[in-house]
Amino acid sequence: MTEAPATIMLNGKSRKIKQPCSATELLSELGWKPTQVVIEHNGQVIPRSETGAIMLREGDQVEIILPVAGG
Amino acid sequence: MSNLCIAGREFQSRLIMGTGKFASGELMATALAASGCEMVTVALRRADLSGKQDRFATILNFVDPSKYLLLPNTSGARTAEEACRLARLGREATQSSWLKLEIHPDPRYLLPDAVETLKAAETLLKEGFTVLPYIHADPVMAKRLEDAGCATVMPLGSPIGSARGIETRASIEIIIEQATVPVVVDAGLGAPSHAAEAMEMGADAVLVNTAVAVAADPVRMAAAFKAAVDAGRAAYEIGLAPKRREAEATSPLTGFLNEK
């Protein structure tokens, strides 16, 4: 039996994700590679090596951030 | 010419470059090479989740971290808390613990918030960051940040992107006189002559972005800034001629045609 989707806050907007869903799976769905971005999960910066181990749950706050041009 | 040393790391170039506002990644990369810089700033923003990645999406494809020391900034932060959050994200994203700490709550003038900057610096220094804070040209603030353990102080010449040059000269002179860490004049340098002026005053380095990025030919302008920084530094190391109120003739004062 598949689990009901969960709703997370992703970059400030509500988004439904399948369950279970790892941070790596979410990135892949969004077209980003783990090496391009950094994830903040419920206020904690996730080391890239641990992205795959992060499972996203109902109500999680997720930010996907990347370096951009700036002064 | 002597090397620049920040937090024990040596740099041959005294020009630090920002990467914002360039028309393309390719142009930015060519301009950075022409500037001779060894350290570049980057910002941090939310990734585009719409599926169409913007032109900044792959900035690290244009800036080789083995060639340039990355200096993630905290632009966008309005408080110490926001700056610390961005700093931690920046460290993981760039794998660089060097940080340009900037906190400016007012978008019109982008002037740095001294109270929040000191608070954030103290937190981040404890977490092992090498902190290069952007500050107003305030000698007392510069001392406080230096005492806290910051690697440099980076006073502004004039507001970010204003191209007005060094309007804070008198205060920057005091900062340079008192500092035991490198002084980097950051913000407002709109012309190579502004960069040369900062270096002649004894600044250890300058940080330039807009003046190069928005130039009609950013690559030649980058080279012009490089030449200006080198010239200004050389002049500082050599020592400028003393200023005088009255003229002092450069030609012989004898053998005039009208002499009797």
Side-chain angles (χ1 to χ4, degrees):
Chain A
M1 199 176 103
T2 49
E3 288 181 51
T7 303
I8 62 168
M9 283 302 283
L10 178 62
N11 285 8
K13 285 183 185 153
S14 171
R15 186 183 181 99
K16 279 205 185 317
I17 55 166
K18 67 176 175 65
Q19 286 290 280
C21 180
S22 73
T24 308
E25 286 172 301
L26 176 65
L27 285 183
S28 158
E29 200 177 295
L30 295 166
W32 289 96
K33 294 185 191 123
T35 49
Q36 292 176 303
V37 296
V38 60
I39 294 180
E40 189 190 62
H41 180 233
N42 295 334
Q44 294 295 311
V45 178
I46 306 303
R48 278 190 186 144
S49 57
E50 295 171 23
T51 310
I54 298 296
M55 299 308 292
L56 304 175
R57 308 274 182 226
E58 178 70 29
D60 280 358
Q61 303 274 335
V62 179
E63 293 281 347
I64 301 176
I65 303 291
L66 81 166
V68 300
Chain B
M1 202 134 34
S2 65
N3 283 353
L4 168 67
C5 181
I6 301 177
R9 180 164 172 158
E10 299 266 333
F11 301 88
Q12 288 183 327
S13 170
R14 292 176 177 271
L15 174 58
I16 304 170
M17 287 288 297
T19 58
K21 297 187 186 173
F22 285 92
S24 73
E26 290 82 1
L27 192 57
M28 177 193 71
T30 314
L32 293 182
S35 78
C37 75
E38 295 161 89
M39 193 187 326
V40 299
T41 62
V42 296
L44 293 154
R45 291 293 181 271
R46 282 174 165 166
D48 184 347
L49 305 180
S50 67
K52 47 174 189 355
Q53 296 183 1
D54 67 18
R55 67 197 173 93
F56 294 133
T58 51
I59 184 164
L60 294 188
N61 289 348
F62 298 102
V63 182
D64 180 358
S66 68
K67 208 163 144 197
Y68 298 102
L69 176 64
L70 296 179
L71 192 60
N73 71 30
T74 59
S75 65
R78 291 156 300 176
T79 63
E81 196 183 343
E82 288 176 5
C84 291
R85 190 176 168 201
L86 280 166
R88 293 171 193 129
L89 286 162
R91 176 157 65 179
E92 187 58 32
T94 62
Q95 299 293 304
S96 167
S97 60
W98 287 51
L99 178 76
K100 177 182 169 183
L101 176 61
E102 51 179 313
I103 304 178
H104 27 75
D106 164 34
R108 186 166 179 201
Y109 293 105
L110 298 174
L111 294 172
D113 183 320
V115 175
E116 295 296 311
T117 301
L118 181 59
K119 209 194 295 180
E122 286 169 343
T123 301
L124 294 166
L125 287 161
K126 279 187 205 138
E127 294 180 21
F129 284 91
T130 299
V131 180
L132 291 72
Y134 168 62
I135 58 169
H136 209 298
D138 174 352
V140 177
M141 179 65 178
K143 261 295 165 211
R144 292 288 298 268
L145 287 161
E146 180 185 309
D147 291 346
C150 288
T152 63
V153 287
M154 303 208 293
L156 60 88
S158 49
I160 293 172
S162 69
R164 281 168 17 198
I166 305 178
E167 294 181 336
T168 54
R169 185 179 170 108
S171 297
I172 289 183
E173 282 172 343
I174 299 172
I175 292 174
I176 291 169
E177 178 195 319
Q178 296 182 340
T180 58
V181 294
V183 177
V184 181
V185 175
D186 178 7
L189 304 182
S193 59
H194 300 156
E197 180 186 357
M199 299 310 294
E200 285 168 8
M201 286 165 63
D204 296 277
V206 294
L207 200 163
V208 177
N209 188 343
T210 302
V212 170
V214 306
D217 186 339
V219 179
R220 282 185 71 201
M221 190 59 90
F225 267 91
K226 178 186 190 299
V229 169
D230 289 348
R233 180 64 190 182
Y236 170 74
E237 289 184 5
I238 296 159
L240 297 174
K243 286 187 179 174
R244 294 170 189 277
R245 201 178 70 79
E246 294 175 13
E248 192 187 56
T250 46
S251 305
L253 290 173
T254 54
F256 292 125
L257 290 176
N258 58 1
E259 266 180 44
K260 296 273 186 302

